[in-house]
Amino acid sequence: MIRQFPLRLLLFLFLCRLSFGLSAQTTRIHPSCPFHLIIALDFSGSEREYLSEIQTALHALTSNFELHEHHLKVGIITFNRGAKVVLPLTGETEKMDSVIQALRISRIVYATDIHSGIELAEQEFRRYSESNIPKYFVLISDGDPHAHRRGFGFQQDLINMTRIKTGNREQKIDPVHVFSLYTGRLSPFRNQFSEDIRKASIEHMQALASDKESFFFYEQYPMLVDFFARIANCQ
């Protein structure tokens, strides 16, 4: 019994890290270089097996930073059938933490409207982000395997993402740099049809990113966190 207690305690602490609830943070980065960040989370049915990955990535991307109205704003969007802004771009750390702690997937929906999430992100940047401040969009998804299974394409995803990446100089709309984080199946399927779908989903997530260096598999999320930690410091 004496030997089992530490193991149970370690297991408890590990499970706590997988929840949306924020752990105590001794220090947070106070950015000296301003930037605005919107994170879009795939809450579709196909991601139900990877919720811990989504939770871990979201926590890592947000819990390290202290928000500020003039330095760092963060917004959060969820999507399945349609999309929803759960946290408008804000410079309030407590508001962000509260929203993340309350996030729940209330029901399983087998739809992955990435294009809706992109569209909402574009609107959020226009409404709440000042011009000439670097803007970043992080898409966390499995790349919508359902659409592949139905034989549909992803033209609207690509159209919307191209628009947000490019911006519009005449309308004074800043371009947004896009990162994509793949949180779907990594191991190959034995069935060739399913394997083709898996590969196509990964390729789609790669195509949505701003460049090849801006696509990450889930295990690489610390590299993405490190990027934002580095750009937050002007010195």
Side-chain angles (χ1 to χ4, degrees):
M1 293 299 293
I2 296 176
R3 292 180 180 179
Q4 291 178 356
F5 175 74
L7 294 177
R8 291 178 180 177
L9 178 60
L10 288 174
L11 178 59
F12 172 77
L13 293 174
F14 174 75
L15 292 175
C16 285
R17 288 176 61 86
L18 297 183
S19 68
F20 275 122
L22 297 173
S23 61
Q25 195 80 15
T26 55
T27 59
R28 290 190 188 233
I29 297 172
H30 290 71
S32 57
C33 247
F35 69 92
H36 293 168
L37 168 65
I38 292 180
I39 304 169
L41 307 172
D42 186 343
F43 271 18
S44 65
S46 62
E47 285 282 62
R48 69 189 187 280
E49 297 179 17
Y50 306 99
L51 288 182
S52 64
E53 296 181 358
I54 295 174
Q55 294 166 354
T56 300
L58 176 63
H59 182 268
L61 285 167
T62 57
S63 64
N64 291 315
F65 299 97
E66 186 71 35
L67 306 193
H68 189 281
E69 187 67 23
H70 302 299
H71 292 283
L72 174 57
K73 290 182 180 179
V74 170
I76 299 174
I77 291 169
T78 61
F79 61 90
N80 41 50
R81 183 172 292 110
K84 178 182 180 182
V85 177
V86 294
L87 177 68
L89 266 175
T90 181
E92 300 179 39
T93 304
E94 290 185 3
K95 178 185 288 187
M96 177 187 70
D97 290 350
S98 177
V99 167
I100 292 174
Q101 202 164 21
L103 273 178
R104 299 289 186 275
I105 298 180
S106 57
R107 58 194 179 94
I108 296 176
V109 179
Y110 287 96
T112 312
D113 291 348
I114 294 175
H115 61 278
S116 297
I118 300 168
E119 187 175 3
L120 271 188
E122 184 179 20
Q123 294 173 9
E124 283 296 293
F125 280 124
R126 290 191 187 188
R127 290 174 181 171
Y128 302 111
S129 180
E130 295 80 23
S131 60
N132 298 321
I133 290 182
K135 297 167 177 57
Y136 298 94
F137 179 52
V138 175
L139 172 66
I140 302 178
S141 174
D142 62 356
D144 193 1
H146 304 302
H148 288 287
R149 193 177 298 277
R150 295 193 301 268
F152 296 159
F154 298 92
Q155 291 82 1
Q156 197 59 51
D157 293 353
L158 295 170
I159 289 170
N160 287 5
M161 198 65 97
T162 297
R163 189 172 62 244
I164 197 174
K165 290 177 187 176
T166 306
N168 190 312
R169 183 176 299 178
E170 293 181 357
Q171 298 182 20
K172 297 182 179 180
I173 299 174
D174 293 337
V176 176
H177 190 96
V178 177
F179 292 100
S180 62
L181 181 67
Y182 175 76
T183 52
R185 181 184 173 109
L186 293 176
S187 59
F189 286 98
R190 293 184 179 180
N191 177 278
Q192 189 59 49
F193 178 70
S194 297
E195 178 59 10
D196 288 343
I197 291 173
R198 187 187 72 87
K199 289 181 177 179
S201 298
I202 294 173
E203 290 172 359
H204 186 53
M205 288 291 285
Q206 291 171 330
L208 290 172
S210 284
D211 49 52
K212 63 181 181 180
E213 288 79 20
S214 299
F215 166 80
F216 297 90
F217 288 103
Y218 167 71
E219 301 83 21
Q220 299 171 310
Y221 79 83
M223 297 172 60
L224 185 56
V225 175
D226 181 64
F227 167 81
F228 286 114
R230 283 188 285 108
I231 68 166
N233 188 353
C234 291
Q235 301 177 352

